[in-house]
Amino acid sequence: MTSSSSPSQDTQRFAHAYPEGLRADALMEEDVAWSHEFDGERDGDQFDRSERAALRRVAGLSTELEDVTEVEYRQLRLERVVLVGVWTSGTVQDTENSLAELAALAETAGALVLDGVIQRRDKPDAATYIGSGKAQELRDIVIDTGADTVICDGELSPGQLIHLEDVVKVKVIDRTALILDIFAQHAKSREGKAQVALAQMQYMLPRLRGWGQSLSRQMGGGSGGLATRGPGETKIETDRRRIREKMAKMRREIAEMKTGREIKRQERRRHKVPSVVIAGYTNAGKSSLLNRLTGAGVLVENALFATLDPTVRRAETPSGRLYTLADTVGFVRHLPHHLVEAFRSTMEEVGDSDLILHVVDGSHPVPEEQLAAVREVISDVGATDVPEIVVINKADAADPLVLQRLLRTEKRAIAVSARTGRGIAELLALIDNELPRPSVEIEALVPYTHGRLVARAHSEGEVISEEHTPEGTLLKVRVHEELAAELAPYAPAPAL
């Protein structure tokens, strides 16, 4: 960077502007590290950034407003962020797609994306994630754009977080912290809020930092004198202990909520109601599909993680069989393990289901990556044995070649559009065919005074034929063993 004034001149200007008593306080303010009044002339001619071999800009990430009428839809105070990723493997296109997804996450969290850069390395730097030299260049970009936050496309260690913040002089967060922030904004139910709070505390615990008086020790816990025998806990140790206590309390609360959901699940099992779970990548259209299939009225928004709390609705197959349809939290690549652990009780719906509708965004540039990311989480919750139908959503906006490729590579796949209704009838027929069928086939002449059994045969089983006779309703049904035992006394006597 060219400079129009020497460092000593800058120091003189700074000393002249700030009295001796205020200089130390001013140095602690991040905003003073760069100001137009003192440093406006320092930039001079900018570097030709395109010549930087290892740090490349990612075009098309800026979300700055072009139309002033959009302001009312934004938050009053938007954080201005610069994104940074490390390209360690794969193609540059893969890394740029990951950074584009990070930009969508940042925008969902209410931030304004100003720029995005990628650093080519064999592995992330242990100290500053991108290396000390490139961290200085990142600092130049932060100053140039006026950003107040840097978001890294990966999970930073506590040391990397501290060192990178020391260089760029603005707040630094990682992908995990960003996703946790989005979850905290969107969680509505008591259980969802508790799960997010637990995940945030798990993430925060190793990253607590003390400063100044917060590192001082409390009085010792000795039994004599003036209670000063030996050093007591430091402030940061006290904070960690309190967080651990809160985490233990939160786990107990989540376990109690899990009991209530398990009771409801057992009731459905008792009535032999099949369950279908909608799983998939975030913003793939799961809630839209649930609304299209059941009319649930769940929030639909073109944003990542717009809905977090699971929704269960009753549905009916074309043949009249009842089943439950559950919407689950969306997944994302590199989903923080804190969230997987915290939401494990909610994700158990996937493992206990009879069928998984795996929704994938057909209009995404690389839908195969979405499929792989979701299947990794499905494997983590032990649901690999559950039958799966791949539902390629947004078929109306997808590239026909991508649709053909997915339909060819996935054994059980169907292309639909939850927005237009295309393929929904075929999907319902496929669900009807894939759901487990009752094991016992029986014929019974049920008296009209026992209409409850006929209703149960319709709701819990599969009615093959039904005829109304003077003596009662003649049914030929396929039902589970418990209902078959109740219908057996009304079975017609075998012909001699």
Side-chain angles (χ1 to χ4, degrees):
M1 177 181 295
T2 59
S3 176
S4 59
S5 60
S6 65
S8 61
Q9 290 173 332
D10 294 334
T11 306
Q12 289 172 5
R13 288 206 308 269
F14 184 85
H16 176 71
Y18 286 90
E20 186 67 30
L22 299 178
R23 197 174 307 156
D25 292 336
L27 284 170
M28 297 307 300
E29 296 291 332
E30 293 178 347
D31 292 340
V32 175
W34 172 262
S35 69
H36 184 74
E37 181 180 356
F38 304 123
D39 303 310
E41 301 175 357
R42 185 179 296 173
D43 261 351
D45 296 329
Q46 294 292 305
F47 277 130
D48 184 359
R49 301 193 193 280
S50 63
E51 293 182 359
R52 292 178 180 164
L55 194 63
R56 64 176 71 213
R57 291 291 181 87
V58 179
L61 290 182
S62 176
T63 58
E64 285 193 279
L65 298 180
E66 296 180 359
D67 184 356
V68 72
T69 60
E70 296 179 33
V71 171
E72 61 181 297
Y73 300 107
R74 297 279 190 157
Q75 293 182 359
L76 184 62
R77 173 70 175 92
L78 291 178
E79 291 196 55
R80 300 165 62 83
V81 304
V82 171
L83 312 179
V84 56
V86 173
W87 172 20
T88 57
S89 61
T91 65
V92 65
Q93 186 63 43
D94 295 336
T95 309
E96 290 186 355
N97 287 340
S98 180
L99 209 65
E101 182 177 270
L102 187 69
L105 287 167
E107 191 173 2
T108 300
L112 190 64
V113 178
L114 302 176
D115 208 344
V117 294
I118 293 173
Q119 161 72 0
R120 181 71 168 103
R121 296 181 65 90
D122 293 334
K123 61 180 180 179
D125 182 68
T128 60
Y129 184 65
I130 56 174
S132 57
K134 296 307 173 186
Q136 289 290 347
E137 294 182 16
L138 179 61
R139 168 64 180 160
D140 295 338
I141 296 174
V142 168
I143 293 172
D144 185 37
T145 58
D148 51 30
T149 304
V150 169
I151 305 179
C152 297
D153 191 18
E155 185 167 340
L156 301 186
S157 68
Q160 288 173 324
L161 202 64
I162 294 170
H163 292 146
L164 191 55
E165 277 189 352
D166 287 342
V167 176
V168 299
K169 306 298 183 188
V170 295
K171 181 173 67 176
V172 175
I173 63 174
D174 57 16
R175 185 187 185 94
T176 300
L178 179 61
I179 294 175
L180 286 171
D181 182 75
I182 296 172
F183 271 55
Q185 290 181 43
H186 291 177
K188 295 293 184 289
S189 69
R190 179 167 169 258
E191 184 174 13
K193 291 178 180 178
Q195 290 169 328
V196 172
L198 176 60
Q200 286 180 318
M201 286 187 283
Q202 285 178 311
Y203 174 79
M204 186 196 315
L205 187 61
R207 291 170 174 81
L208 285 181
R209 282 183 277 173
W211 183 80
Q213 290 298 316
S214 64
L215 289 177
S216 64
R217 291 194 177 273
Q218 313 297 312
M219 287 196 300
S223 59
L226 299 175
T228 57
R229 301 193 187 223
E233 289 180 305
T234 61
K235 179 64 167 59
I236 197 168
E237 288 170 346
T238 305
D239 292 341
R240 284 175 179 154
R241 177 169 51 81
R242 287 174 178 168
I243 287 179
R244 290 191 187 99
E245 290 172 353
K246 287 182 180 178
M247 287 170 59
K249 179 182 177 182
M250 204 69 69
R251 287 193 179 100
R252 288 194 297 270
E253 291 180 359
I254 292 174
E256 291 171 0
M257 298 176 204
K258 176 184 175 182
T259 303
R261 193 172 55 252
E262 183 63 29
I263 290 173
K264 294 178 182 177
R265 198 179 297 151
Q266 288 176 355
E267 187 71 11
R268 293 198 296 268
R269 288 193 195 123
R270 188 172 69 84
H271 289 96
K272 307 297 182 182
V273 179
S275 63
V276 179
V277 165
I278 301 176
Y281 213 75
T282 180
N283 208 32
K286 298 183 300 301
S287 297
S288 299
L289 185 64
L290 178 69
N291 289 344
R292 173 65 71 170
L293 293 175
T294 67
V298 176
L299 169 70
V300 173
E301 188 177 354
N302 186 22
L304 305 186
F305 300 113
T307 51
L308 291 182
D309 303 315
T311 304
V312 181
R313 292 289 185 272
R314 289 168 64 91
E316 189 174 313
T317 65
S319 64
R321 298 170 61 198
L322 288 179
Y323 65 97
T324 61
L325 193 61
D327 187 14
T328 60
V329 62
F331 304 144
V332 71
R333 74 179 85 188
H334 313 307
L335 189 68
H337 65 275
H338 311 292
L339 280 175
V340 175
E341 285 301 318
F343 279 79
R344 183 172 294 277
S345 57
T346 303
M347 293 177 180
E348 285 174 356
E349 292 283 351
V350 179
D352 289 338
S353 64
D354 296 301
L355 180 65
I356 296 175
L357 298 184
H358 185 163
V359 183
V360 61
D361 183 357
S363 63
H364 190 271
V366 192
E368 289 85 357
E369 290 183 2
Q370 291 191 354
L371 287 166
V374 174
R375 282 170 176 160
E376 182 179 347
V377 180
I378 289 175
S379 176
D380 288 342
V381 298
T384 52
D385 295 333
V386 181
E388 175 192 68
I389 297 176
V390 176
V391 181
I392 309 166
N393 195 20
K394 306 182 184 179
D396 54 319
D399 184 344
L401 294 178
V402 174
L403 289 180
Q404 291 177 13
R405 186 175 75 236
L406 287 173
L407 292 171
R408 185 172 59 251
T409 56
E410 295 296 331
K411 294 181 180 178
R412 288 188 295 182
I414 183 171
V416 305
S417 172
R419 186 176 66 87
T420 65
R422 167 186 168 184
I424 296 298
E426 292 82 355
L427 175 60
L428 286 170
L430 191 57
I431 293 173
D432 195 359
N433 187 56
E434 291 291 335
L435 282 177
R437 297 188 175 278
S439 55
V440 180
E441 185 174 318
I442 188 171
E443 187 174 349
L445 182 61
V446 183
Y448 290 120
T449 55
H450 292 70
R452 179 181 57 86
L453 286 177
V454 178
R456 285 186 60 191
H458 278 277
S459 62
E460 301 176 23
E462 184 179 353
V463 177
I464 301 173
S465 64
E466 182 178 14
E467 182 183 352
H468 298 288
T469 68
E471 294 79 17
T473 305
L474 182 60
L475 289 176
K476 187 176 183 181
V477 293
R478 189 178 287 112
V479 294
H480 53 82
E481 294 179 359
E482 182 181 337
L483 184 53
E486 295 185 45
L487 289 171
Y490 306 105
L496 295 176

